[in-house]
């Protein structure tokens, strides 16, 4: 671990004055939200005054001394009031917002890039995910600069996280990624207040945490004690004092913070005091001793300033800053202070201690005071120029490559990406792919062979002379595929930050990630949070469903179609045919990396499908009409007008082969069956929701085209996923419906057996249709 010299900065007293005001403002923001607003519903507003208080000095040292305008900071969720207080003092947040925490149109409960009115670099609130976002943002920026040298520079990527966040597996999956060890621009500061939501943490195991970061190549710095108590450690008996304090269980230390100052010495002495300890303690006035035991490294502004200045910029750094939860508040150190709110009398006392006024809580810093002058100077130093966005990128509606042979949608994606390099080079230059060690098995090989693999640093290709190698795995800073280890959470974390480069630095990327669809659920929460935070990207889940039958239940995805349909800020697609995949994927690419854009989720299959089944028109006008229907959510494949249909079969994805086979069998029995092929149940559901609404939306008219309201018929819906996904179609016209899909765990088998087991084979579809017709 690094030892940081303690150098007194000339403006430390000014920083302390700022710190007192930030402590007051952060507490008053929460107080105003709870005591200052009428609460008609009776549901508590909440807030975290104690969790904010422990972060105040760390954040003041950063924003009012250390940060540059190029730095980007992720703030732990429960310290959002501190961030808003800091932004207010820097002139980035009008005082009218300070009483609006957790109010409509006001300050969000946790920092939000998309929804807060003041500058927020990273959305946090999902424990562990906001902290790791800085890591992926650092990689994303390095990638951008390697591809586009004129892109704006960046400074450090800083995470301020609570010690309890280190319990999250997402933290350690990210820290362990091999590329992270070279990210010298990465700085994490851990607020080590030794409390979680419900308790004092019994054993923080700091040595274990230090060792884990060090093993991953990080510089580890620990700030345990401040100057005041460090001076006592130098006196006779001081070593005994230090040994005693550091041997205390966390609970005993926290309890000592809650007693009268006159009792502190006795608490330290304990039952068997070390020689010389009593003499030292009796020489220190009680109030000074009580202040000394609270003098932790995370509250020593001078030490914090020196630490941040001395960080090694050749490798990532983590600073463990010991703090007291609730520092400076009447609730400091209390084991249950996590969401406890100060009373009016306690707020009055805090106002007196910090030089504020409860009757005028948002009064500005005294004009021309050193603190106000510092805030004004830092406002100028931290000012950021407006983001200049990438110029228009041409995205074709079609590549025009004919699909004549049987091909799976997964293979069609690989072919499409490889073709982009030749047919749309400007667009291809903006594409970056990534996967968790499944690039070749998700058909990215052709793309990788053409564009290469990206790495933080150049790496020698020892297999370059191997003529039998099919996949040219050449790693350099010019490649366009980023391969991660088998960690889906890392994948979507990187995906989100690659999808935010357009808004951070003005460089548009179109990030595309492939992963096995069964593992989408493993990455669901961080993926969803990345979308909430504004990251735009395309996530490809493949292979999907039970169609990869030999893999059995271990590799089936049942619920993912519903997940895609239900996910905000994203359009879910499941095309059945190669031509549909081309049209929908290019359409999705057009909407990524732009203001008001949207992400996409593609559920693809390894099953080859005959492209002729789609009956794509050859006439240019009719072909373009089909394309518009495809990107709208679906189209009809039928020889009969809807008025003649006795039953309508609705399918999506690879099972369209069975759906069309069932339609033929029904016709042989004299039953007229219409066929609807959905490319996006998501868009069709939106069309369903928009019926009767004055607000037009994407796909708003597609449902009436697929299921004309004037021509009702029973419906059989089929997909390789949970049948409830398409159940909403019953409400389109009030039709009787039978929903076929997968609702049980599977087993290894061939494809025909798998479909029969789950009732999505052609025979089951025919039977369901006949049952609905009473035949």
């Amino acid at each position: 671990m690094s030892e940081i010299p303690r150098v007194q900065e000339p403006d430390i007293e000014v920083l302390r004055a700022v710190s007192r005001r930030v402590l007051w403002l952060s507490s008053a923001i929460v107080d105003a939200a709870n005591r200052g607003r009428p609460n008609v519903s009776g549901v508590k507003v909440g807030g975290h005054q104690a969790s904010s208080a422990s972060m105040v000095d760390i954040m003041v040292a950063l924003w009012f001394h250390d940060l540059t305008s190029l730095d980007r900071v992720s703030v732990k969720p429960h310290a959002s009031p501190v961030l808003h207080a800091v932004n207010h003092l820097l002139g980035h947040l009008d005082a009218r917002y300070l009483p609006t925490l957790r109010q409509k149109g006001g300050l969000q409960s946790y920092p939000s890039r998309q929804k807060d009115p003041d500058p927020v670099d990273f959305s946090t609130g999902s424990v562990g995910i906001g902290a790791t976002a800085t890591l992926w943002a650092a990689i994303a920026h390095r990638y951008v600069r390697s591809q586009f040298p004129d892109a704006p520079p960046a400074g450090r990527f800083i995470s301020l996280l609570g010690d309890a966040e280190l319990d999250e597996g997402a933290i350690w999956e990210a820290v362990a990624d091999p590329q992270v060890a070279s990210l010298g621009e990465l700085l994490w500061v851990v607020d080590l207040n030794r409390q979680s939501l419900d308790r004092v943490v019994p054993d923080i195991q700091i040595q274990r945490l230090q060792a884990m970061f060090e093993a991953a190549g990080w510089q580890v710095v620990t700030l345990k004690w401040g100057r005041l108590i460090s001076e006592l450690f130098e006196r006779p008996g001081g070593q005994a004092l230090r040994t005693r304090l550091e041997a205390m269980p966390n609970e005993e230390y926290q309890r000592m913070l809650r007693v009268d100052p006159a009792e502190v010495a006795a608490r330290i002495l304990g039952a068997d005091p070390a020689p010389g300890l009593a003499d030292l303690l009796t020489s220190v006035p009680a109030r000074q001793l009580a202040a000394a035991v609270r003098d932790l490294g995370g509250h020593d502004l001078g030490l914090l300033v020196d630490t941040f200045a001395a960080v090694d910029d050749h490798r990532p750094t983590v600073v463990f800053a010991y703090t007291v939860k609730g520092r400076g508040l009447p609730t400091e150190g209390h084991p249950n202070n996590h969401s406890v709110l100060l009373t009016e009398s306690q707020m009055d006392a805090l106002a007196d201690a910090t030089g504020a006024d409860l009757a005028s809580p948002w009064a500005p810093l005294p004009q021309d005071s050193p603190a106000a002058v510092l805030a004004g100077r830092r406002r100028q130093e931290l000012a950021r120029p407006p983001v200049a966005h990438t110029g228009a990128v041409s995205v074709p509606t079609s590549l025009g490559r004919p699909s004549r042979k049987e091909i799976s949608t997964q293979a069609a994606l690989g072919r499409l990406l490889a073709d982009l390099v030749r047919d749309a080079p400007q667009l291809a230059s903006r594409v970056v792919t990534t996967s968790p060690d499944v690039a070749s098995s998700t058909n990215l090989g052709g793309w990788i062979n053409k564009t290469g693999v990206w790495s933080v640093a150049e790496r020698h290709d020892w297999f370059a002379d191997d003529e039998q190698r099919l996949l040219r795995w050449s790693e350099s800073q010019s490649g366009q595929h980023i391969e991660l280890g088998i960690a889906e959470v890392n994948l979507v974390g990187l995906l989100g930050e690659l999808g935010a480069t357009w808004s951070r630095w003005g460089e548009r990327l179109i990030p595309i990630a492939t992963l096995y669809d069964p593992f989408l659920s493993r990455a669901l929460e961080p993926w969803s949070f990345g979308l909430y935070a504004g990251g735009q990207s395309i996530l490809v889940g493949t292979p999907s469903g039970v169609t990869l039958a030999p893999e059995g239940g271990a590799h089936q995805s049942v619920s993912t179609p519903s997940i895609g349909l239900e996910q905000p800020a994203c359009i879910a697609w499941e095309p059945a045919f190669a031509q549909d995949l081309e049209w929908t994927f290019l359409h999705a690419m057009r909407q990524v990396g732009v203001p008001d854009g949207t992400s996409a989720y593609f559920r693809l299959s390894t099953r080859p499908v005959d492209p002729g089944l789609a009956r794509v028109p050859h006439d240019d006008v009719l072909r373009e009409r089909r394309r518009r229907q495809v990107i709208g959510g679906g189209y009809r494949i039928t020889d009969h007008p809807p008025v003649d249909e006795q039953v309508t079969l609705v399918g999506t994805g690879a099972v369209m082969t069975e759906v069309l086979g069932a339609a033929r069998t029904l016709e042989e029995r004299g039953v007229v069956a219409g066929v609807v092929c959905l490319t996006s149940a998501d868009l069709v559901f939106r069309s369903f929701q928009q019926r009767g609404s004055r607000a037009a939306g994407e796909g708003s008219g597609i449902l009436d085209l697929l299921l004309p309201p004037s021509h009702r018929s029973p419906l059989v819906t089929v997909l390789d996923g949970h049948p409830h996904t398409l159940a909403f179609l019953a409400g389109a016209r009030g039709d009787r419906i039978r929903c076929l899909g997968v609702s049980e765990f599977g087993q290894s088998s061939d494809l025909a057996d798998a479909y029969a087991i789950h009732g999505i084979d052609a025979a089951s579809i025919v039977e369901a249709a006949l049952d609905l017709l009473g035949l």
Side-chain angles (χ1 to χ4, degrees), residues 228-229 231-233 235-236 241 261-262 264-265 268 277-293:
L228 176 60
I229 197 164
E231 189 275 328
L232 294 182
F233 293 156
R235 298 185 189 180
L241 173 61
V264 172
I268 296 175
L277 181 56
D279 292 339
L280 172 62
L281 296 180
T282 55
S283 70
V284 181
R287 293 196 174 277
Q288 182 182 341
L289 183 60
V293 298

Side-chain angles (χ1 to χ4, degrees), residues 162-225:
D163 49 357
E165 284 193 83
L166 296 180
D167 292 341
E168 287 288 341
I171 295 286
W172 301 109
E173 287 186 33
V175 167
D177 189 87
Q179 299 194 74
V180 173
S182 61
L183 300 178
E185 63 269 43
L186 195 62
L187 170 63
W188 286 11
V189 184
V190 179
D191 174 14
L192 203 69
N193 60 40
R194 293 170 285 183
Q195 286 185 239
S196 61
L197 192 152
D198 293 325
R199 60 175 184 155
V200 176
V201 178
D203 182 3
I204 198 61
Q205 298 184 346
I206 182 66
Q207 292 82 7
R208 176 177 59 85
L209 297 175
Q210 292 165 335
M212 290 169 72
F213 275 103
E214 287 174 338
W218 291 52
Q219 175 186 209
V220 178
V221 179
T222 301
L223 307 181
K224 190 159 191 176
W225 304 109

Side-chain angles (χ1 to χ4, degrees), residues 377-389:
R377 175 168 62 83
R378 291 299 289 162
R379 177 182 184 181
Q380 294 179 340
E381 293 171 349
L382 295 176
R384 297 173 181 170
V387 175
H389 293 289

Side-chain angles (χ1 to χ4, degrees), residues 649-720:
L649 310 182
V650 182
T652 186
V655 295
M656 283 306 300
T657 298
E658 280 63 41
V659 172
L660 289 163
R664 289 193 298 270
T665 300
L666 287 168
E667 289 185 12
E668 291 169 359
R669 297 189 178 192
V671 176
V672 179
V675 176
V676 172
C677 177
L678 300 185
T679 53
S680 173
D682 188 353
L683 290 180
V684 175
F685 179 73
R686 297 183 196 195
S687 178
F688 175 72
Q689 291 290 86
Q690 289 156 6
R691 275 189 168 179
S693 171
R694 295 181 179 179
E698 187 170 11
S700 59
I702 194 67
L703 183 58
D704 288 349
L705 177 68
L706 302 178
L707 301 177
S710 58
H711 306 297
R712 296 177 59 183
S713 65
L715 302 178
V716 178
T717 66
V718 194
L719 78 161
D720 186 356

Side-chain angles (χ1 to χ4, degrees), residues 396-415:
T397 58
S398 176
L399 297 183
R401 179 168 178 166
S403 299
R404 297 189 177 95
K405 297 181 180 180
E406 284 192 351
I407 187 174
S408 70
T409 49
Q410 177 180 295
L413 173 63
R415 187 181 71 177

